[in-house]
Amino acid sequence: MKKRFMLCLALMSVMLLSPNYIFGMHIMEGFLPVGWAIFWMAASLPFVILGMRTISKTFKENPNQKLLFALVTAFVFILSALKMPSVTGSTSHPTGTGLGAILFGPMPMAVSGLIVLLFQALLLAHGGISTLGANVFSMAIVGPFVSYFVYKLLKGTNKKVAVFMAAALGDLLTYVVTSIQLALAHPDAVSGVMGSLTKFLSIFAVTQIPLAVAEGILTVIVFDLIVNYQKEGGYQLERIN
């Protein structure tokens, strides 16, 4: 089992070093007006601060969690860098935040997502600095909160179904929020915000549903690997017992 776990880590490392990520992005640099860029940064900041406090407390109580948190952040980095052409101003991709929300709760994922999005903006030209707050809010705050509460709601029935639905719905709701952000910033000249929102949602719904399903399946596989590794004496995780 440990060999399979190490193989999974190796594959993720290879994907991380792949150069084709450079063409992907989130909401790109300069696409949001200054006012909206500042608004989303201000909206995301409290969650990032609370996330840092939660992480600090978790690591003090159990330093063994550091490696798993690094693995979760690498998982987010890899999946959120896999792009599919979608609509002007953004691309469609998995998010990977559902796994971390299940394992650590939603608050730490605000920090994990911020790290991922910052590195992608600076090193890979994915997203941008001015749009960082908006991308953090959709991918690293709303998505993880949706995943966390869906998992909490369904885990008493079938745990694999709960993990799948949590990851898939967290992914989809991330794009609903991204659509709202883009519609608010760029309302249609004739039909206004609702017309623009309908356009963005209709495009994302087509491209994102199969990606959300794929992310749900992948998250179930990785979740099972972590649980089995835990049974062999690896990570100690009270949340997934």
Side-chain angles (χ1 to χ4, degrees), residues 54-68:
T54 303
I55 291 172
S56 178
K57 181 181 178 182
T58 300
F59 287 172
K60 285 182 180 177
E61 293 175 350
N62 188 358
N64 195 33
Q65 299 276 25
K66 293 180 181 178
L67 181 60
L68 182 59

Side-chain angles (χ1 to χ4, degrees), residues 204-224:
F204 281 136
V206 173
T207 58
Q208 198 60 27
I209 289 176
L211 285 178
V213 172
E215 179 173 344
I217 294 172
L218 179 62
T219 303
V220 170
I221 294 172
V222 176
F223 181 84
D224 279 345

